[in-house]
Amino acid sequence: MSDTARPPLIRNPITVLSALRSPRQLSREVLAGMVTTLALVPEVISFSIVAGVDPMVSLVASIVLALTMSILGGRPGVITAAAGSVALVIAPLVHDRGVEYVLPTVIVAGLIQIVFGFAGLARLMRFIPRSVMIGFVNALGILIFVAQVPHVVNVPGLAYVLFAVTLAIIFVLPRFTKAVPSPLVAIVVVTAIVIIANLTVPNVADEGPLTGQLPGITPFLVPLNLETLRIILPTALSVAFVGLMETLLTAKLVDEMTDSSSHKGRESWALGVSNILAGFYGGIAGCAMIGQTVLNVKTGGARTRISTVVAGVFLLFLVTALSSIMGQIPMVALAAVMMIVAITTVDWHSLTPSTLRRMPIPETLVMVVTVVVVVATNNLALGVIVGVILAMVLFARRVAHVISVERALDAAGDHVAYLVSGPLFFGSSNDLVDRFAYADDPALVTIDLSQAQIWDASTVAALDSIETKYAHHGAAVTFTGLDARSTGFHQRLTGRFGA
């Protein structure tokens, strides 16, 4: 079933219109967007340094991405900005060829994402198993937490006091009021303390310069020819698919958090359009920011596009009008907020001894491998790919052993019937050939496939091999019971695999 045909999972979802009519929900959306923006800034700046581009380039691109996806995206609540995964992919190109190759790379990546979205390929996300998703979420929590550790080690003793104050506000304030998100209050209070007391601690400005000036349209400085395409295409493909994978996984995660559905195809082509616009005005691509999205939706309680619009507008305001104040936000305050987000992101229920005892070993293995690969490579997309491949292999291995073959010889001994049960594909059909008594069977053999189905060419080749082996012993084989699809598949391929 397509994304557009799926009914919503909740009866009365919160819409932009209903949020505008509810002061409480509207304030929640606005404040969630503001908190998310504050947590977004240092990460975007850090990733810009990794990618080898100016921090203002990544900040402006993040503004364009957040606002464009707020309008075009298929999953409300998802924060899109210049992300670390894209920075890691694009960095080698910048270092080897120069920053001028970023724009054509982003344009080609955006076009690939648009084609991916309109072609309906986003529906492939349904093939990601739950065990991979749990591994993805748990690994995400670990990565978010580990990314904050450098901001709370080898810092002045005063920074630890501010870190403790931030945590205290986050945990204590909700006991008195939930009208304002406690992370926002914590960041504002701790920043005010630093400014008023003129304290010297590591801050956002230390991550990169904030000029407060917006760049113009990104100039196209490389030749428009096939040689340029040859240089940028491998990176563009990586940017496109890493961005798509993280964005669609984030959308799926938000679907589960909010018990609602989203249009993954729209999310895909909207990301392509947003990246092209961000390339022309800003200069770098991006994708969903998973940690900030969790902060926006799970911690902030945002449910509509209002929060992401606020995030984009507030980021614009911070970059242009309040860049000097934004630069004074202590990194330990933001690290404290993101560490809490990391801890709440992990699916702790999946790690309890009772759950692990009940869960099949292959499911647990897939989850663990996904986590290990993600943490070891710092690459969420690679971890998901490895997890999916492992899940497919383990599934095929389990299914391969569920077929059964029953033999029944008639009273006269001149006819034998076999009943084959179970799915027939490459994993199970390769052993099927060895399930028959060729030398002992009479001249008439019937193989009943009414409780089996043919799923691939390997099975047809196996049936041809069975027929050939019986022919060598002077026996004739008749296949019966196939459904219409399997019959057509068998007739189309049988006899075409050689001797």
Side-chain angles (χ1 to χ4, degrees), residues 171-418:
F171 286 118
V172 174
L173 183 62
R175 298 183 180 182
F176 299 96
T177 178
K178 294 184 179 180
V180 181
S182 58
L184 177 60
V185 175
I187 292 171
V188 171
V189 169
V190 172
T191 303
I193 292 173
V194 169
I195 294 174
I196 294 171
N198 196 24
L199 304 178
T200 302
V201 292
N203 55 33
V204 171
D206 295 332
E207 301 295 312
L210 301 173
T211 62
Q213 297 178 350
L214 295 177
I217 300 297
T218 307
F220 201 99
L221 301 175
V222 297
L224 191 61
N225 54 32
L226 291 177
E227 177 61 18
T228 298
L229 181 62
R230 183 191 66 79
I231 293 170
I232 67 172
L233 186 57
T235 303
L237 287 168
S238 297
V239 169
F241 288 112
V242 167
L244 280 169
M245 188 171 297
E246 293 214 19
T247 296
L248 295 176
L249 283 172
T250 303
K252 187 174 181 180
L253 184 62
V254 175
D255 288 350
E256 294 180 358
M257 287 181 180
T258 59
D259 291 328
S260 61
S261 61
S262 60
H263 196 311
K264 305 302 188 301
R266 178 177 172 180
E267 188 77 1
S268 300
W269 65 254
L271 179 64
V273 173
S274 301
N275 274 328
I276 292 173
L277 294 177
F280 278 112
Y281 195 82
I284 195 169
C287 64
M289 301 286 283
I290 305 173
Q292 282 71 16
T293 298
V294 172
L295 176 61
N296 186 49
V297 175
K298 192 170 184 177
T299 307
R303 292 293 181 271
T304 73
R305 301 176 191 274
I306 295 174
S307 63
T308 50
V309 170
V310 169
V313 173
F314 188 49
L315 180 57
L316 176 63
F317 181 65
L318 288 176
V319 168
T320 55
L322 296 178
S323 58
S324 59
I325 295 178
M326 179 176 64
Q328 297 184 63
I329 298 175
M331 288 303 300
V332 288
L334 296 174
V337 171
M338 293 308 296
M339 282 180 168
I340 298 301
V341 171
I343 292 171
T344 58
T345 298
V346 173
D347 186 348
W348 295 103
H349 177 71
S350 68
L351 303 176
T352 60
S354 59
T355 300
L356 293 175
R357 281 196 301 268
R358 289 195 300 268
M359 194 66 62
I361 292 177
E363 299 283 329
T364 302
L365 179 63
V366 168
M367 179 190 72
V368 171
V369 168
T370 303
V371 172
V372 170
V373 172
V374 170
V375 174
T377 64
N378 203 35
N379 189 325
L380 287 163
L382 180 61
V384 170
I385 291 172
V386 172
V388 169
I389 293 174
L390 178 61
M392 290 170 60
V393 171
L394 294 176
F395 173 76
R397 183 174 178 273
R398 290 199 303 271
V399 175
H401 297 291
V402 301
I403 65 165
S404 64
V405 178
E406 299 177 9
R407 181 176 182 267
L409 184 67
D410 68 356
D414 56 3
H415 177 260
V416 65
Y418 286 91

Side-chain angles (χ1 to χ4, degrees), residues 133-201:
M133 276 298 298
I134 293 175
F136 169 81
V137 170
N138 292 342
L140 172 63
I142 295 172
L143 288 184
I144 295 173
F145 191 91
V146 171
Q148 312 311 313
V149 172
H151 301 305
V152 296
V153 296
N154 297 324
V155 294
L158 187 59
Y160 293 109
V161 176
L162 298 175
F163 181 80
V165 171
T166 305
L167 291 178
I169 294 174
I170 291 174
F171 286 118
V172 174
L173 183 62
R175 298 183 180 182
F176 299 96
T177 178
K178 294 184 179 180
V180 181
S182 58
L184 177 60
V185 175
I187 292 171
V188 171
V189 169
V190 172
T191 303
I193 292 173
V194 169
I195 294 174
I196 294 171
N198 196 24
L199 304 178
T200 302
V201 292

